[in-house]
Amino acid sequence: MTTKLIVLLICVSLHTVTYGFQCPGDGLFANPQDQHSFYQCTHGMYYLMQCPAGLVWNQQTQFCYWDTPKPPMNCDHGNQSNCREMTEWSMEGIPIVGSDRQFGDDGFHLGSPFGIYVDAERDNVYVADTENHRVQKFNLKAIGSSGVTVAGGNGPGNASNQLNMPMAVHVDRNENVYVSDVDNDRIQMWAKGATSGVTVAGGHGKGTAVNQIGACQGIFVHEETNALFISDFYNDRIVKWIPEKGEGIMVAGIGVGGSRANQLSGPRGIFVDKCETIYIADLWNNRIQKWKKGATEGITVAGGNGKGLAANQLNSPWDVELDQYGNIYVADTDNSRVLKFTPGATNGVLMANGMGWGTGSGQFREVYSIGLDKTGNLYVSESRNNRLQQFNINPGTNSC
């Protein structure tokens, strides 16, 4: 029943009584005349329900999915010309929000922000405003303007219109906002314009079972399949959520923390490419791991040389991002810097925090989440400074 309720809340855009369909019983049934719609039958009454544009009804899974599967993508980034190999970024940061670094709960301030998501197509950035228990949306074309609350903002709690310590955020192509609601052990989805969310993963308390989440620190919605990937921090695993079953399957790690190639230790931010290769900020192992789809172990693509400040080392990385050329960007949290690793490189190049530890422009007091816009400008959240900074590409250094 829970699965069906989620389907109706997420997938339905039109709700009309129709005539001529024979209900086989209560439930959801395919429309034999139109694959883009389905029938809801309740106590002999039947209603025609429309899937969102571009989606088709799947009777077996009871969900609307993308239409014809797309052909396999070429995810070998090494075959592409890397026009950002020599790109440099300004070391002077521009505060997007929180320029006075003060903790606040109005539209111009943040309260210990952690995760961010840059919607490059619409020039928006979404911020998990953790201690304000909300998600804020800011327009990158209107820097200095007030943010808009798009999830939570009704105090800490477990009601459908509340969040409790949100840590990560992701937005899909339909502007649905997915939030890791950490202290409620669930993932909430807030449709565009909604005043409350629905639980799309977890919600069964903290634990190790396949239907439970242990403090999710990273989420990613795959742009091709709409699959939800979850970084299950306390359980040292990455799971791919199967909504029709209400549980996840483990796709990285073994559920036991460790430093071997098949293990993770405190996974935080994740990035999933078009071929479902997962890049993982493996916090306590001070490395970024790459797990190809179906792999039984990962490959270290950044760090993994012990905790340190050298160019081939990381210190508690919290987040990872990729661009279309295969460059890997790392939020190297306890080193208060952002590094870029070109494909195959063992040494990272400093992108941000050449200005040192502190509160000034271009300085950090630890960096937690990063994102890139469509031109390659960098965005960084700083929980301790209660702000979000933008670092622009230096003119003349970018050949893209």
Side-chain angles (χ1 to χ4, degrees):
M1 187 63 188
T2 301
T3 300
K4 294 180 180 179
L5 177 60
I6 292 173
V7 171
L8 295 179
L9 288 170
I10 296 175
C11 295
V12 173
S13 59
L14 179 64
H15 187 173
T16 56
V17 179
T18 61
Y19 301 94
F21 180 76
Q22 295 295 320
C23 284
D26 287 354
L28 305 176
F29 303 96
N31 178 3
Q33 307 300 322
D34 178 17
Q35 63 177 342
H36 299 283
S37 62
F38 59 96
Y39 286 100
Q40 177 194 3
C41 294
T42 306
H43 304 305
M45 297 293 293
Y46 40 91
Y47 304 87
L48 180 63
M49 318 299 284
Q50 293 288 340
C51 291
L55 303 191
V56 297
W57 177 250
N58 185 304
Q59 183 61 30
Q60 180 179 0
T61 64
Q62 299 274 284
F63 270 80
C64 292
Y65 285 103
W66 298 111
D67 205 340
T68 306
K70 297 187 177 182
M73 303 297 297
N74 177 15
C75 295
D76 186 1
H77 303 289
N79 289 337
Q80 301 184 52
S81 175
N82 187 4
C83 58
R84 288 209 183 119
E85 184 174 3
M86 305 304 293
T87 299
E88 297 177 359
W89 284 259
S90 171
M91 292 294 172
E92 291 283 346
I94 302 171
I96 300 296
V97 61
S99 59
D100 59 3
R101 305 180 308 281
Q102 298 299 309
F103 187 109
D105 60 5
D106 59 22
F108 298 94
H109 291 87
L110 299 169
S112 299
F114 277 83
I116 65 172
Y117 178 81
V118 178
D119 184 352
E121 294 304 314
R122 301 178 183 89
D123 294 313
N124 294 317
V125 60
Y126 295 77
V127 183
D129 192 11
T130 303
E131 293 192 19
N132 283 324
H133 312 287
R134 65 185 183 180
V135 174
Q136 295 291 92
K137 173 184 172 182
F138 297 91
N139 190 314
L140 297 176
K141 296 297 185 182
I143 293 176
S145 61
S146 177
V148 177
T149 301
V150 294
N154 297 299
N158 60 8
S160 62
N161 69 338
Q162 293 179 303
L163 299 170
N164 196 348
M165 299 298 286
M167 295 286 288
V169 59
H170 196 100
V171 181
D172 69 16
R173 65 179 72 186
N174 294 317
E175 297 185 74
N176 298 313
V177 179
Y178 295 77
V179 189
S180 66
D181 191 10
V182 171
D183 281 4
N184 286 323
D185 304 302
R186 65 187 183 182
I187 308 298
Q188 293 292 93
M189 193 282 290
W190 293 61
K192 182 180 179 180
T195 56
S196 62
V198 294
T199 301
V200 294
H204 302 287
K206 190 181 274 84
T208 61
V210 292
N211 68 342
Q212 293 179 304
I213 299 170
C216 169
Q217 303 288 304
I219 51 178
F220 198 99
V221 180
H222 194 272
E223 66 178 62
E224 301 295 328
T225 65
N226 231 32
L228 174 62
F229 292 82
I230 299 170
S231 178
D232 193 358
F233 180 76
Y234 286 155
N235 290 321
D236 299 303
R237 65 189 181 185
I238 308 299
V239 297
K240 180 180 179 180
W241 202 259
I242 310 300
E244 61 269 23
K245 293 185 177 180
E247 62 187 39
I249 57 172
M250 194 153 38
V251 291
I254 59 174
V256 178
S259 60
R260 297 197 303 269
N262 67 340
Q263 292 179 300
L264 301 169
S265 185
R268 290 201 182 267
I270 56 175
F271 181 94
V272 185
D273 73 12
K274 292 182 179 180
C275 293
E276 294 194 6
T277 298
I278 309 168
Y279 295 80
I280 307 162
D282 192 9
L283 184 80
W284 305 125
N285 285 323
N286 303 296
R287 65 187 182 184
I288 304 299
Q289 291 293 91
K290 173 183 175 180
W291 285 65
K292 291 188 175 182
K293 184 177 182 178
T296 57
E297 61 182 36
I299 302 168
T300 301
V301 292
N305 297 298
K307 181 185 297 185
L309 192 58
N312 68 342
Q313 293 180 305
L314 300 172
N315 190 348
S316 301
W318 271 63
D319 201 10
V320 59
E321 181 87 6
L322 259 72
D323 63 22
Q324 63 266 47
Y325 311 105
N327 298 302
I328 300 169
Y329 304 85
V330 182
D332 190 14
T333 300
D334 283 358
N335 282 329
S336 293
R337 65 184 182 180
V338 179
L339 296 179
K340 179 188 74 174
F341 292 81
T342 56
T346 56
N347 289 344
V349 177
L350 184 67
M351 287 180 63
N353 200 19
M355 310 296 288
W357 168 281
T359 60
S361 173
Q363 293 183 310
F364 299 138
R365 290 197 304 162
E366 298 183 345
V367 49
Y368 288 101
S369 187
I370 55 177
L372 299 169
D373 65 20
K374 56 190 172 186
T375 60
N377 298 318
L378 172 71
Y379 299 84
V380 180
S381 73
E382 301 175 77
S383 179
R384 291 193 178 190
N385 280 333
N386 298 303
R387 69 181 176 185
L388 177 68
Q389 291 195 77
Q390 172 184 322
F391 295 83
N392 292 326
I393 288 178
N394 283 332
T397 69
N398 183 27
S399 59
C400 296

